Protein backbone atom coordinates (compact mmCIF):
# COMPACT_ATOMS: atom_id res chain seq x y z
CA UNK A 1 0.00 0.00 0.00
CA UNK A 2 1.14 3.52 -0.80
CA UNK A 3 0.88 6.21 1.86
CA UNK A 4 0.64 9.73 0.48
CA UNK A 5 1.67 12.43 2.93
CA UNK A 6 -0.14 15.48 1.73
CA UNK A 7 -1.98 18.70 2.44
CA UNK A 8 -4.73 20.70 0.73
CA UNK A 9 -2.32 22.75 -1.37
CA UNK A 10 -1.78 22.60 -5.15
CA UNK A 11 1.56 20.83 -4.64
CA UNK A 12 -0.21 18.20 -2.56
CA UNK A 13 -3.21 17.89 -4.86
CA UNK A 14 -1.14 17.17 -7.97
CA UNK A 15 0.06 13.89 -6.44
CA UNK A 16 -3.52 12.92 -5.55
CA UNK A 17 -4.34 13.46 -9.24
CA UNK A 18 -1.32 11.40 -10.36
CA UNK A 19 -2.27 8.50 -8.07
CA UNK A 20 -5.93 8.65 -9.14
CA UNK A 21 -4.82 8.51 -12.78
CA UNK A 22 -2.60 5.46 -12.16
CA UNK A 23 -5.41 3.60 -10.39
CA UNK A 24 -3.03 2.47 -7.66
CA UNK A 25 -4.44 1.94 -4.19
CA UNK A 26 -3.27 4.51 -1.68
CA UNK A 27 -4.21 6.13 1.56
CA UNK A 28 -3.72 9.72 2.60
CA UNK A 29 -1.89 10.88 5.71
CA UNK A 30 -2.83 14.54 6.12
CA UNK A 31 0.01 16.80 7.23
CA UNK A 32 -1.24 20.08 8.72
CA UNK A 33 1.55 22.43 7.64
CA UNK A 34 -0.26 25.31 9.37
CA UNK A 35 0.15 23.56 12.70
CA UNK A 36 3.73 22.42 12.03
CA UNK A 37 3.09 18.70 11.49
CA UNK A 38 5.86 18.77 8.86
CA UNK A 39 8.46 19.24 11.60
CA UNK A 40 7.48 16.08 13.52
CA UNK A 41 10.45 13.66 13.70
CA UNK A 42 8.31 10.88 12.18
CA UNK A 43 7.60 13.02 9.13
CA UNK A 44 11.17 14.34 8.85
CA UNK A 45 12.33 10.70 8.62
CA UNK A 46 10.27 10.48 5.40
CA UNK A 47 10.75 14.01 4.07
CA UNK A 48 13.95 15.50 5.53
CA UNK A 49 13.29 18.96 4.07
CA UNK A 50 9.91 19.15 5.89
CA UNK A 51 7.85 19.44 2.72
CA UNK A 52 4.81 17.65 1.40
CA UNK A 53 4.07 15.81 -0.79
CA UNK A 54 5.89 12.57 0.01
CA UNK A 55 5.09 8.94 -0.69
CA UNK A 56 5.96 5.76 1.17
CA UNK A 57 5.39 2.48 -0.64
CA UNK A 58 5.68 -0.49 1.70
CA UNK A 59 5.87 -2.83 -1.30
CA UNK A 60 9.03 -1.44 -2.88
CA UNK A 61 11.89 -3.26 -4.61
CA UNK A 62 12.65 -6.58 -2.93
CA UNK A 63 9.51 -6.22 -0.83
CA UNK A 64 11.01 -3.44 1.29
CA UNK A 65 9.69 0.00 2.01
CA UNK A 66 10.70 2.93 -0.19
CA UNK A 67 10.14 6.65 0.45
CA UNK A 68 9.91 9.26 -2.29
CA UNK A 69 10.21 12.84 -1.11
CA UNK A 70 8.57 14.81 -3.92
CA UNK A 71 8.47 18.20 -2.24
CA UNK A 72 11.95 19.57 -2.92
N1 LIG B 1 8.70 21.74 -5.38
C1 LIG B 1 7.77 21.11 -4.47
C2 LIG B 1 7.35 22.11 -3.41
C3 LIG B 1 6.74 21.45 -2.21
C4 LIG B 1 6.30 22.49 -1.21
O1 LIG B 1 6.69 23.65 -1.31
N2 LIG B 1 5.51 22.06 -0.21
C5 LIG B 1 5.00 23.01 0.76
C6 LIG B 1 3.46 23.02 0.76
S1 LIG B 1 2.82 23.41 -0.83
C7 LIG B 1 5.40 22.57 2.16
O2 LIG B 1 5.45 21.40 2.45
N3 LIG B 1 5.69 23.54 3.04
C8 LIG B 1 6.00 23.28 4.41
C9 LIG B 1 7.25 23.97 4.87
O3 LIG B 1 8.05 24.45 4.03
O4 LIG B 1 7.46 24.00 6.08
C10 LIG B 1 6.59 20.59 -5.26
O5 LIG B 1 6.40 21.04 -6.37
O6 LIG B 1 5.87 19.71 -4.78
Amino acid sequence: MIDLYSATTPNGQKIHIMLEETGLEYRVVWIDIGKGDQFAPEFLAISPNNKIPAIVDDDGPGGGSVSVCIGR
Side-chain angles (χ1 to χ4, degrees):
M1 175 69 80
I2 291 172
D3 287 333
L4 167 61
Y5 292 78
S6 188
T8 56
T9 66
N11 284 329
Q13 293 304 303
K14 65 190 177 187
I15 306 305
H16 292 253
I17 293 167
M18 182 274 289
L19 286 170
E20 288 294 328
E21 289 294 322
T22 63
L24 292 168
E25 257 190 278
Y26 68 100
R27 60 189 166 210
V28 180
V29 181
W30 294 107
I31 301 297
D32 189 337
I33 59 175
K35 283 192 180 161
D37 290 355
Q38 72 274 33
F39 299 110
E42 303 79 29
F43 182 64
L44 290 173
I46 296 163
S47 180
N49 67 349
N50 61 270
K51 295 207 186 302
I52 63 92
I55 283 175
V56 177
D57 183 356
D58 66 10
D59 189 23
S65 177
V66 63
S67 300
V68 181
C69 174
I70 302 156
R72 290 187 166 230

